[in-house]
Structures are given as C-alpha cells and as structure tokens.
Amino acid sequence: MTNNEDSTYLDNVIAGWASRYLDIPKRQELKTAHQVAVIIGNEGFTSEIVSGNHLLIADEPIDFGGNDFGPSPYDYLASGLGACTAMTLRMYATRKKWDLQKVIVHVDHGKEHAPDSENTSVVKKIDTFKRKIELFGNLDDTQRKRLLEIADKCPVHKTFESEAVIKTELV
C-alpha cells in the first residue's frame, strides 16, 4: 500500500481481527524526551524501542534464550551501517547526477581474533563488520570505484572507526 492512511486503516482492521484470537499482553506505554528509549520486562530478552515516532522490537535468537521476535542489538548495529551506507551513496550519486538506480548493502557482523593476540595467552577479539555493496545503474568503472570510496565516508562507518564514549548515570 502506498497511501499511509489506507495502510494505517488496514493495519487497524487486521489488528482488531487478530486480537480476537491472540492473547496479546498489555504493553506499557513508553514515552521519552530522549532520542531513544528501551524497555524490557522481567522475562526473556524481548525489548521495545521507541525512537521518535517509531516503535521497534529487539530480541535475541532462540538459541541465545530469546524469542526471536525482532533483530538482535548487533543486527541493529549492522542495519545502521547498511542504511547509512546506502543513503550516503544515494546522496552522492544524486548530487553528481549519476545514474545510480539501486543500491543493496549486505552486512555481516562477527568477532575475529585480533592479529596481536595470536602469540599471547590473552585472546582478544575485534568486532568486524563485513560489507558487500551492489550498485545498479549505468555507471562506469571510475564512478563505481568512487562510490566504493564514498561508502567508507558514511557517518556510521566513521563512528565505528572512531573512539566512542558512553556516559551512564542512574535516574
């Protein structure tokens, strides 16, 4: 559905019908003045995330003790990198008036042994994001090479490669 009003109406009709057959627990309304808020209950790992006007779900896979109701926190990190990469390439190609029809960014996250930990008793692992980019459109080799360079300039990519600081306080 392309019309937001029609889509919302259909969502409500389906939700109303489904609620007759499902035992859906009442969810606690989560509101925040912050960029993101996350709430989790005392059972399992399923978490509700509020980001602006958007409600998201995060969970762990079943084999990690979760219900697999949503992406894992690491899936969200990989998604952020993929989305930012695609948007950065779209912005650049549009500004250059290049014929970039579509971008698909594939991202995998894993932990690899740090090169300097091979000969020590302490095993260090590095979070590694592997990104594969598909570019569609009438692009020459020079344009494709430049877009690959631009991918490394996306803000999330830069954030991952910089030193981040997390400040935590109880409220």
Side-chain angles (χ1 to χ4, degrees):
M1 304 215 108
T2 56
N3 182 314
N4 280 343
E5 289 178 10
D6 291 343
S7 179
T8 300
Y9 172 77
L10 184 58
D11 289 347
N12 289 332
V13 169
I14 292 171
W17 172 81
S19 69
R20 295 173 49 198
Y21 303 100
L22 300 173
D23 183 23
I24 301 172
K26 283 281 187 204
R27 69 177 188 88
Q28 185 176 350
E29 191 67 29
L30 180 60
K31 295 183 182 193
T32 184
H34 299 276
Q35 187 175 358
V36 171
V38 180
I39 187 170
I40 188 170
N42 63 351
E43 291 183 23
F45 299 112
T46 305
S47 304
E48 291 183 30
I49 304 165
V50 171
S51 177
N53 295 321
H54 309 286
L55 179 62
L56 309 167
I57 299 292
D59 204 347
E60 290 292 344
I62 291 172
D63 56 336
F64 280 12
N67 293 309
D68 200 26
F69 288 154
S72 74
Y74 280 109
D75 292 338
Y76 276 112
L77 284 174
S79 298
L81 177 61
C84 187
T85 300
M87 290 176 189
T88 299
L89 295 176
R90 165 56 49 222
M91 281 187 240
Y92 187 83
T94 299
R95 193 176 78 222
K96 291 289 191 175
K97 296 183 175 36
W98 290 353
D99 184 37
L100 178 62
Q101 296 295 316
K102 178 171 61 173
V103 176
I104 301 175
V105 181
H106 306 271
V107 181
D108 290 304
H109 169 262
K111 295 185 182 278
E112 296 182 355
H113 288 283
D116 60 348
S117 73
E118 292 176 358
N119 299 321
T120 66
S121 60
V122 179
V123 176
K124 288 174 45 181
K125 292 195 175 184
I126 298 174
D127 284 286
T128 304
F129 291 87
K130 294 181 179 176
R131 183 174 55 179
K132 294 185 178 184
I133 301 171
E134 294 182 78
L135 303 173
F136 298 86
N138 187 17
L139 302 165
D140 62 35
D141 289 340
T142 303
Q143 290 170 323
R144 294 174 67 77
K145 182 179 176 190
R146 181 64 181 147
L147 287 169
L148 186 60
E149 292 169 0
I150 294 300
D152 289 342
K153 298 184 185 309
C154 95
V156 171
H157 182 127
K158 288 181 175 183
T159 299
F160 281 166
E161 290 187 330
S162 70
E163 183 177 330
V165 176
I166 300 171
K167 299 178 180 180
T168 305
E169 64 181 84
L170 286 176
V171 291

